[in-house]
Amino acid sequence: MDDKADLLRALPPLSSYSPEESVVASLDRAQNYHDQLVAAMPGLIVHRDGVILHCSGTLARLLGYESVGEVMALPDIMALIPEDARMAERNAYARCQQGPIQPLARRIKRHRADTSTQWFDQLLETVDWGGAPAVMEMLTQMRPQAANAEIPHQGQLLQAAIDAMPNGVLMLDRGLRLEGANSEYFRLWDYPPGMFPPGTPVAETLYYNHRRGDYGDVPCEETVAELCTRFLVKGVINSERQVPSNGRILDIRTAPRADGGYVITHHDITDRKRIEDELRQAKERAEAILKELRETQQQLIVQEKMASLGQLTAGIAHELKNPLNFVNNFAELSGELLDELLELLEPLNDHLEGATRTDVDDLVDSLQSNLRKIADHGRRADNIVKSMLAHSRGGGGEWQSTDLNALVEEALALSYHAVRAQDRSFNATLDRRFDAAVGEVKLVPQDISRVLVNLFTNSFYAVRKKQLTCGDPAYVPALAVTTETRGSDVSIRIRDNGIGMTTAVIEKLFTPFFTTKPTGEGTGLGLSLSYDIVVHQHRGRFDVSSIENEHAEFTITLPRTVTAMSLGERRKT
């Protein structure tokens, strides 16, 4: 009673109110009480597969609609839900319909009739509606307290803060559901803004990536499950990932939080990787240029040496040519004079005694034999001098597009007929394996023909020598010639079943004046000149393999097109 008396004494006396003011105050108090009562009452809405089945009048008023019919006339439940929250609500509805869920209130937002946003506390429950399960939402308006009023504002401030970060940020709870993400995250991964709102399982983002082809042709479920396990880390880990849809390369750092959730930051390192690739390519180009410069330097040294050798060889050859001409000329002249002397002395033959006549005939025969030997060796020396001059001058022909198979066939026929002209008893089996795809190759045909003739002649010499020395009547000299294309190169392989060569011989094979033939049968300059033509003039390769008394194989590899100087041009000073 005392409390009531105190309350009555605290109220202003009735005489202080006018009748009109008393009525207005009563109506305001009644409206305030009504608003508080409506706000405290939960609004109900029932829906199935998005179709609204029922809405209470309380909820319609809380949402600012004049009647329940206006809510029921909406196309579906998603018309009440802001776009950035639709994914989370769909997942919540799906979990609700799957079975009983823990009755925990969720803080959600809904569109009002005037398009503003209203925050509610939500409870979900599955109900039987019309003989089929449906989702029932109980929505209670958030209390108009200062703390509750600040929640949306604080969320906006937090979102603005993470949106201002230069890196992509993704926050997951312990159940691997999105708690938040900034706009940079959506940009880096090429996601439409707001596509994955808070509450979305991170697996949904991975399924989306798989559907657009980020992971290639791999099983979907297994791939998503394996990727989800990568988020479950105990410490900070780093990884790199390229986004196929836009080509960006991301440096991803996953770090656990104290509450069991995770923070994943994404840093765009596309430019850094591009710069690294450019630096690596520049380094590789510089190394290639350095290697080419070193090879060029080595070639220049070799060319300088060859030029000096060519000058020396040409000088020696020219100096030898003059006395050699005298030797050859006087040998021939001496033979003619001897013949004339014998004709003048022929009448005296009858006056010589038998023994004296025999001695004279022996002396004349010896003198004639010596003159013939001088002439033969003089001609041989003359051939050596000519080879030396050819070696010093090198090739002088023009570069032409030449049918390589025809050139090889021509050189083979020329060599074989030349050998048979000297030895009619010689025969060999010729195996031609020409690749029609070889076609035309840019080269100096005179020089390459000289190389081929030289190699064929050496091969015929090797098989003939083995035939004469092996003592096997079943042995058949054979020569196999193969041409084939190797990308931008072509090759000519010459293989014989002759006497072969030892490793020591192969090491000296291209040395000028080195020969394995007996004195008088080779100058030792053929292979040296051939090597120079193939390697230095035509920028090719000259490979040799052999097994003694079994076989020898020469392989010439030439580029299809090459810009090269002739040997004579390189050796000019």
Side-chain angles (χ1 to χ4, degrees), residues 233-257:
V233 298
K234 296 182 179 180
V236 178
I237 63 169
N238 283 72
S239 62
E240 287 186 8
R241 175 69 196 280
Q242 184 173 15
V243 183
S245 61
N246 54 32
R248 295 189 184 96
I249 302 175
L250 306 181
D251 180 17
I252 303 174
R253 173 174 293 189
T254 304
R257 299 196 315 245

PDB file of all heavy atoms in Angstrom, residues 233-257:
ATOM      1  N   VAL A 233      44.336 -27.248 -40.707  1.00  0.00           N
ATOM      2  CA  VAL A 233      45.763 -27.163 -40.402  1.00  0.00           C
ATOM      3  C   VAL A 233      45.943 -26.811 -38.936  1.00  0.00           C
ATOM      4  O   VAL A 233      45.092 -26.186 -38.301  1.00  0.00           O
ATOM      5  CB  VAL A 233      46.455 -26.107 -41.284  1.00  0.00           C
ATOM      6  CG1 VAL A 233      46.350 -26.492 -42.743  1.00  0.00           C
ATOM      7  CG2 VAL A 233      45.842 -24.722 -41.068  1.00  0.00           C
ATOM      8  N   LYS A 234      47.076 -27.223 -38.380  1.00  0.00           N
ATOM      9  CA  LYS A 234      47.419 -26.908 -36.991  1.00  0.00           C
ATOM     10  C   LYS A 234      48.368 -25.722 -36.888  1.00  0.00           C
ATOM     11  O   LYS A 234      48.565 -25.174 -35.810  1.00  0.00           O
ATOM     12  CB  LYS A 234      48.042 -28.131 -36.322  1.00  0.00           C
ATOM     13  CG  LYS A 234      47.084 -29.309 -36.215  1.00  0.00           C
ATOM     14  CD  LYS A 234      47.735 -30.483 -35.498  1.00  0.00           C
ATOM     15  CE  LYS A 234      46.756 -31.650 -35.366  1.00  0.00           C
ATOM     16  NZ  LYS A 234      47.375 -32.801 -34.675  1.00  0.00           N
ATOM     17  N   GLY A 235      48.990 -25.385 -37.986  1.00  0.00           N
ATOM     18  CA  GLY A 235      49.897 -24.251 -38.025  1.00  0.00           C
ATOM     19  C   GLY A 235      49.747 -23.514 -39.338  1.00  0.00           C
ATOM     20  O   GLY A 235      48.992 -23.922 -40.228  1.00  0.00           O
ATOM     21  N   VAL A 236      50.448 -22.411 -39.465  1.00  0.00           N
ATOM     22  CA  VAL A 236      50.368 -21.606 -40.683  1.00  0.00           C
ATOM     23  C   VAL A 236      51.030 -22.358 -41.837  1.00  0.00           C
ATOM     24  O   VAL A 236      52.151 -22.860 -41.703  1.00  0.00           O
ATOM     25  CB  VAL A 236      51.051 -20.252 -40.473  1.00  0.00           C
ATOM     26  CG1 VAL A 236      51.022 -19.438 -41.759  1.00  0.00           C
ATOM     27  CG2 VAL A 236      50.371 -19.480 -39.345  1.00  0.00           C
ATOM     28  N   ILE A 237      50.340 -22.482 -42.948  1.00  0.00           N
ATOM     29  CA  ILE A 237      50.904 -23.123 -44.134  1.00  0.00           C
ATOM     30  C   ILE A 237      50.705 -22.197 -45.333  1.00  0.00           C
ATOM     31  O   ILE A 237      49.791 -21.382 -45.367  1.00  0.00           O
ATOM     32  CB  ILE A 237      50.260 -24.497 -44.429  1.00  0.00           C
ATOM     33  CG1 ILE A 237      48.773 -24.339 -44.741  1.00  0.00           C
ATOM     34  CG2 ILE A 237      50.485 -25.454 -43.286  1.00  0.00           C
ATOM     35  CD1 ILE A 237      48.136 -25.594 -45.295  1.00  0.00           C
ATOM     36  N   ASN A 238      51.607 -22.341 -46.288  1.00  0.00           N
ATOM     37  CA  ASN A 238      51.537 -21.554 -47.519  1.00  0.00           C
ATOM     38  C   ASN A 238      51.409 -22.488 -48.705  1.00  0.00           C
ATOM     39  O   ASN A 238      51.940 -23.594 -48.710  1.00  0.00           O
ATOM     40  CB  ASN A 238      52.792 -20.689 -47.694  1.00  0.00           C
ATOM     41  CG  ASN A 238      52.777 -19.470 -46.800  1.00  0.00           C
ATOM     42  OD1 ASN A 238      52.939 -19.587 -45.601  1.00  0.00           O
ATOM     43  ND2 ASN A 238      52.572 -18.309 -47.380  1.00  0.00           N
ATOM     44  N   SER A 239      50.699 -22.022 -49.708  1.00  0.00           N
ATOM     45  CA  SER A 239      50.580 -22.774 -50.960  1.00  0.00           C
ATOM     46  C   SER A 239      50.340 -21.779 -52.086  1.00  0.00           C
ATOM     47  O   SER A 239      49.966 -20.627 -51.847  1.00  0.00           O
ATOM     48  CB  SER A 239      49.439 -23.789 -50.881  1.00  0.00           C
ATOM     49  OG  SER A 239      48.195 -23.133 -50.680  1.00  0.00           O
ATOM     50  N   GLU A 240      50.569 -22.252 -53.301  1.00  0.00           N
ATOM     51  CA  GLU A 240      50.315 -21.438 -54.488  1.00  0.00           C
ATOM     52  C   GLU A 240      49.247 -22.111 -55.325  1.00  0.00           C
ATOM     53  O   GLU A 240      49.214 -23.333 -55.431  1.00  0.00           O
ATOM     54  CB  GLU A 240      51.588 -21.246 -55.317  1.00  0.00           C
ATOM     55  CG  GLU A 240      52.586 -20.300 -54.699  1.00  0.00           C
ATOM     56  CD  GLU A 240      53.768 -20.019 -55.615  1.00  0.00           C
ATOM     57  OE1 GLU A 240      53.701 -20.448 -56.787  1.00  0.00           O
ATOM     58  OE2 GLU A 240      54.747 -19.390 -55.174  1.00  0.00           O
ATOM     59  N   ARG A 241      48.418 -21.282 -55.942  1.00  0.00           N
ATOM     60  CA  ARG A 241      47.354 -21.820 -56.771  1.00  0.00           C
ATOM     61  C   ARG A 241      47.082 -20.852 -57.910  1.00  0.00           C
ATOM     62  O   ARG A 241      47.039 -19.634 -57.707  1.00  0.00           O
ATOM     63  CB  ARG A 241      46.098 -22.010 -55.928  1.00  0.00           C
ATOM     64  CG  ARG A 241      44.884 -22.445 -56.720  1.00  0.00           C
ATOM     65  CD  ARG A 241      45.019 -23.849 -57.252  1.00  0.00           C
ATOM     66  NE  ARG A 241      44.064 -24.108 -58.290  1.00  0.00           N
ATOM     67  CZ  ARG A 241      42.787 -24.407 -58.083  1.00  0.00           C
ATOM     68  NH1 ARG A 241      42.322 -24.458 -56.858  1.00  0.00           N
ATOM     69  NH2 ARG A 241      41.979 -24.643 -59.095  1.00  0.00           N
ATOM     70  N   GLN A 242      46.894 -21.382 -59.108  1.00  0.00           N
ATOM     71  CA  GLN A 242      46.523 -20.559 -60.256  1.00  0.00           C
ATOM     72  C   GLN A 242      45.037 -20.706 -60.513  1.00  0.00           C
ATOM     73  O   GLN A 242      44.498 -21.817 -60.538  1.00  0.00           O
ATOM     74  CB  GLN A 242      47.306 -20.954 -61.505  1.00  0.00           C
ATOM     75  CG  GLN A 242      47.024 -20.057 -62.699  1.00  0.00           C
ATOM     76  CD  GLN A 242      47.928 -20.341 -63.883  1.00  0.00           C
ATOM     77  OE1 GLN A 242      48.574 -21.378 -63.925  1.00  0.00           O
ATOM     78  NE2 GLN A 242      47.978 -19.438 -64.838  1.00  0.00           N
ATOM     79  N   VAL A 243      44.367 -19.574 -60.694  1.00  0.00           N
ATOM     80  CA  VAL A 243      42.937 -19.570 -60.994  1.00  0.00           C
ATOM     81  C   VAL A 243      42.782 -19.664 -62.513  1.00  0.00           C
ATOM     82  O   VAL A 243      43.114 -18.717 -63.227  1.00  0.00           O
ATOM     83  CB  VAL A 243      42.268 -18.295 -60.461  1.00  0.00           C
ATOM     84  CG1 VAL A 243      40.770 -18.341 -60.724  1.00  0.00           C
ATOM     85  CG2 VAL A 243      42.556 -18.119 -58.976  1.00  0.00           C
ATOM     86  N   PRO A 244      42.309 -20.808 -63.035  1.00  0.00           N
ATOM     87  CA  PRO A 244      42.267 -20.976 -64.494  1.00  0.00           C
ATOM     88  C   PRO A 244      41.380 -19.955 -65.197  1.00  0.00           C
ATOM     89  O   PRO A 244      41.653 -19.576 -66.328  1.00  0.00           O
ATOM     90  CB  PRO A 244      41.723 -22.408 -64.660  1.00  0.00           C
ATOM     91  CG  PRO A 244      42.045 -23.099 -63.374  1.00  0.00           C
ATOM     92  CD  PRO A 244      41.929 -22.033 -62.323  1.00  0.00           C
ATOM     93  N   SER A 245      40.309 -19.508 -64.532  1.00  0.00           N
ATOM     94  CA  SER A 245      39.367 -18.625 -65.221  1.00  0.00           C
ATOM     95  C   SER A 245      39.959 -17.265 -65.553  1.00  0.00           C
ATOM     96  O   SER A 245      39.543 -16.619 -66.515  1.00  0.00           O
ATOM     97  CB  SER A 245      38.120 -18.446 -64.346  1.00  0.00           C
ATOM     98  OG  SER A 245      38.466 -17.861 -63.099  1.00  0.00           O
ATOM     99  N   ASN A 246      40.925 -16.792 -64.748  1.00  0.00           N
ATOM    100  CA  ASN A 246      41.513 -15.479 -65.021  1.00  0.00           C
ATOM    101  C   ASN A 246      43.031 -15.497 -65.089  1.00  0.00           C
ATOM    102  O   ASN A 246      43.651 -14.468 -65.370  1.00  0.00           O
ATOM    103  CB  ASN A 246      41.060 -14.454 -63.963  1.00  0.00           C
ATOM    104  CG  ASN A 246      41.350 -14.918 -62.536  1.00  0.00           C
ATOM    105  OD1 ASN A 246      42.316 -15.622 -62.284  1.00  0.00           O
ATOM    106  ND2 ASN A 246      40.502 -14.506 -61.609  1.00  0.00           N
ATOM    107  N   GLY A 247      43.635 -16.659 -64.822  1.00  0.00           N
ATOM    108  CA  GLY A 247      45.088 -16.781 -64.937  1.00  0.00           C
ATOM    109  C   GLY A 247      45.867 -16.219 -63.762  1.00  0.00           C
ATOM    110  O   GLY A 247      47.102 -16.228 -63.792  1.00  0.00           O
ATOM    111  N   ARG A 248      45.179 -15.721 -62.726  1.00  0.00           N
ATOM    112  CA  ARG A 248      45.903 -15.170 -61.583  1.00  0.00           C
ATOM    113  C   ARG A 248      46.588 -16.277 -60.789  1.00  0.00           C
ATOM    114  O   ARG A 248      46.056 -17.382 -60.649  1.00  0.00           O
ATOM    115  CB  ARG A 248      44.956 -14.398 -60.657  1.00  0.00           C
ATOM    116  CG  ARG A 248      44.350 -13.153 -61.274  1.00  0.00           C
ATOM    117  CD  ARG A 248      43.605 -12.355 -60.208  1.00  0.00           C
ATOM    118  NE  ARG A 248      42.935 -11.192 -60.779  1.00  0.00           N
ATOM    119  CZ  ARG A 248      41.657 -11.176 -61.138  1.00  0.00           C
ATOM    120  NH1 ARG A 248      40.921 -12.253 -60.979  1.00  0.00           N
ATOM    121  NH2 ARG A 248      41.123 -10.090 -61.646  1.00  0.00           N
ATOM    122  N   ILE A 249      47.749 -15.949 -60.245  1.00  0.00           N
ATOM    123  CA  ILE A 249      48.481 -16.869 -59.379  1.00  0.00           C
ATOM    124  C   ILE A 249      48.395 -16.324 -57.963  1.00  0.00           C
ATOM    125  O   ILE A 249      48.762 -15.168 -57.711  1.00  0.00           O
ATOM    126  CB  ILE A 249      49.948 -17.014 -59.819  1.00  0.00           C
ATOM    127  CG1 ILE A 249      50.015 -17.512 -61.265  1.00  0.00           C
ATOM    128  CG2 ILE A 249      50.691 -17.973 -58.902  1.00  0.00           C
ATOM    129  CD1 ILE A 249      51.417 -17.578 -61.825  1.00  0.00           C
ATOM    130  N   LEU A 250      47.886 -17.135 -57.041  1.00  0.00           N
ATOM    131  CA  LEU A 250      47.633 -16.693 -55.671  1.00  0.00           C
ATOM    132  C   LEU A 250      48.578 -17.393 -54.707  1.00  0.00           C
ATOM    133  O   LEU A 250      48.809 -18.600 -54.811  1.00  0.00           O
ATOM    134  CB  LEU A 250      46.186 -16.985 -55.270  1.00  0.00           C
ATOM    135  CG  LEU A 250      45.090 -16.436 -56.203  1.00  0.00           C
ATOM    136  CD1 LEU A 250      43.721 -16.788 -55.652  1.00  0.00           C
ATOM    137  CD2 LEU A 250      45.228 -14.931 -56.382  1.00  0.00           C
ATOM    138  N   ASP A 251      49.115 -16.600 -53.776  1.00  0.00           N
ATOM    139  CA  ASP A 251      49.871 -17.141 -52.647  1.00  0.00           C
ATOM    140  C   ASP A 251      48.891 -17.224 -51.485  1.00  0.00           C
ATOM    141  O   ASP A 251      48.427 -16.196 -50.964  1.00  0.00           O
ATOM    142  CB  ASP A 251      51.043 -16.216 -52.314  1.00  0.00           C
ATOM    143  CG  ASP A 251      51.863 -16.737 -51.140  1.00  0.00           C
ATOM    144  OD1 ASP A 251      51.717 -17.923 -50.812  1.00  0.00           O
ATOM    145  OD2 ASP A 251      52.622 -15.941 -50.548  1.00  0.00           O
ATOM    146  N   ILE A 252      48.531 -18.429 -51.061  1.00  0.00           N
ATOM    147  CA  ILE A 252      47.475 -18.655 -50.076  1.00  0.00           C
ATOM    148  C   ILE A 252      48.109 -19.046 -48.750  1.00  0.00           C
ATOM    149  O   ILE A 252      48.907 -19.996 -48.687  1.00  0.00           O
ATOM    150  CB  ILE A 252      46.498 -19.744 -50.555  1.00  0.00           C
ATOM    151  CG1 ILE A 252      45.901 -19.341 -51.914  1.00  0.00           C
ATOM    152  CG2 ILE A 252      45.400 -19.972 -49.527  1.00  0.00           C
ATOM    153  CD1 ILE A 252      45.028 -20.410 -52.536  1.00  0.00           C
ATOM    154  N   ARG A 253      47.736 -18.341 -47.697  1.00  0.00           N
ATOM    155  CA  ARG A 253      48.234 -18.644 -46.343  1.00  0.00           C
ATOM    156  C   ARG A 253      47.038 -18.988 -45.459  1.00  0.00           C
ATOM    157  O   ARG A 253      46.113 -18.183 -45.319  1.00  0.00           O
ATOM    158  CB  ARG A 253      49.000 -17.470 -45.754  1.00  0.00           C
ATOM    159  CG  ARG A 253      49.383 -17.668 -44.294  1.00  0.00           C
ATOM    160  CD  ARG A 253      50.264 -16.555 -43.789  1.00  0.00           C
ATOM    161  NE  ARG A 253      51.557 -16.570 -44.434  1.00  0.00           N
ATOM    162  CZ  ARG A 253      52.586 -15.809 -44.054  1.00  0.00           C
ATOM    163  NH1 ARG A 253      52.441 -14.971 -43.037  1.00  0.00           N
ATOM    164  NH2 ARG A 253      53.728 -15.874 -44.690  1.00  0.00           N
ATOM    165  N   THR A 254      47.041 -20.170 -44.897  1.00  0.00           N
ATOM    166  CA  THR A 254      45.981 -20.639 -44.017  1.00  0.00           C
ATOM    167  C   THR A 254      46.507 -20.676 -42.595  1.00  0.00           C
ATOM    168  O   THR A 254      47.538 -21.292 -42.320  1.00  0.00           O
ATOM    169  CB  THR A 254      45.497 -22.038 -44.436  1.00  0.00           C
ATOM    170  OG1 THR A 254      45.082 -21.999 -45.799  1.00  0.00           O
ATOM    171  CG2 THR A 254      44.331 -22.491 -43.574  1.00  0.00           C
ATOM    172  N   ALA A 255      45.767 -20.018 -41.670  1.00  0.00           N
ATOM    173  CA  ALA A 255      46.196 -19.955 -40.273  1.00  0.00           C
ATOM    174  C   ALA A 255      45.012 -20.285 -39.375  1.00  0.00           C
ATOM    175  O   ALA A 255      43.907 -19.764 -39.574  1.00  0.00           O
ATOM    176  CB  ALA A 255      46.743 -18.566 -39.942  1.00  0.00           C
ATOM    177  N   PRO A 256      45.208 -21.153 -38.377  1.00  0.00           N
ATOM    178  CA  PRO A 256      44.110 -21.475 -37.449  1.00  0.00           C
ATOM    179  C   PRO A 256      43.893 -20.347 -36.437  1.00  0.00           C
ATOM    180  O   PRO A 256      44.807 -19.602 -36.104  1.00  0.00           O
ATOM    181  CB  PRO A 256      44.602 -22.758 -36.770  1.00  0.00           C
ATOM    182  CG  PRO A 256      46.089 -22.653 -36.829  1.00  0.00           C
ATOM    183  CD  PRO A 256      46.425 -21.910 -38.076  1.00  0.00           C
ATOM    184  N   ARG A 257      42.631 -20.237 -35.971  1.00  0.00           N
ATOM    185  CA  ARG A 257      42.306 -19.269 -34.928  1.00  0.00           C
ATOM    186  C   ARG A 257      42.141 -19.990 -33.605  1.00  0.00           C
ATOM    187  O   ARG A 257      41.960 -21.215 -33.547  1.00  0.00           O
ATOM    188  CB  ARG A 257      41.001 -18.529 -35.265  1.00  0.00           C
ATOM    189  CG  ARG A 257      41.048 -17.746 -36.545  1.00  0.00           C
ATOM    190  CD  ARG A 257      39.884 -16.750 -36.597  1.00  0.00           C
ATOM    191  NE  ARG A 257      38.607 -17.329 -36.198  1.00  0.00           N
ATOM    192  CZ  ARG A 257      37.561 -17.487 -36.999  1.00  0.00           C
ATOM    193  NH1 ARG A 257      37.655 -17.123 -38.265  1.00  0.00           N
ATOM    194  NH2 ARG A 257      36.444 -18.003 -36.555  1.00  0.00           N
TER     195      ARG A 257
END
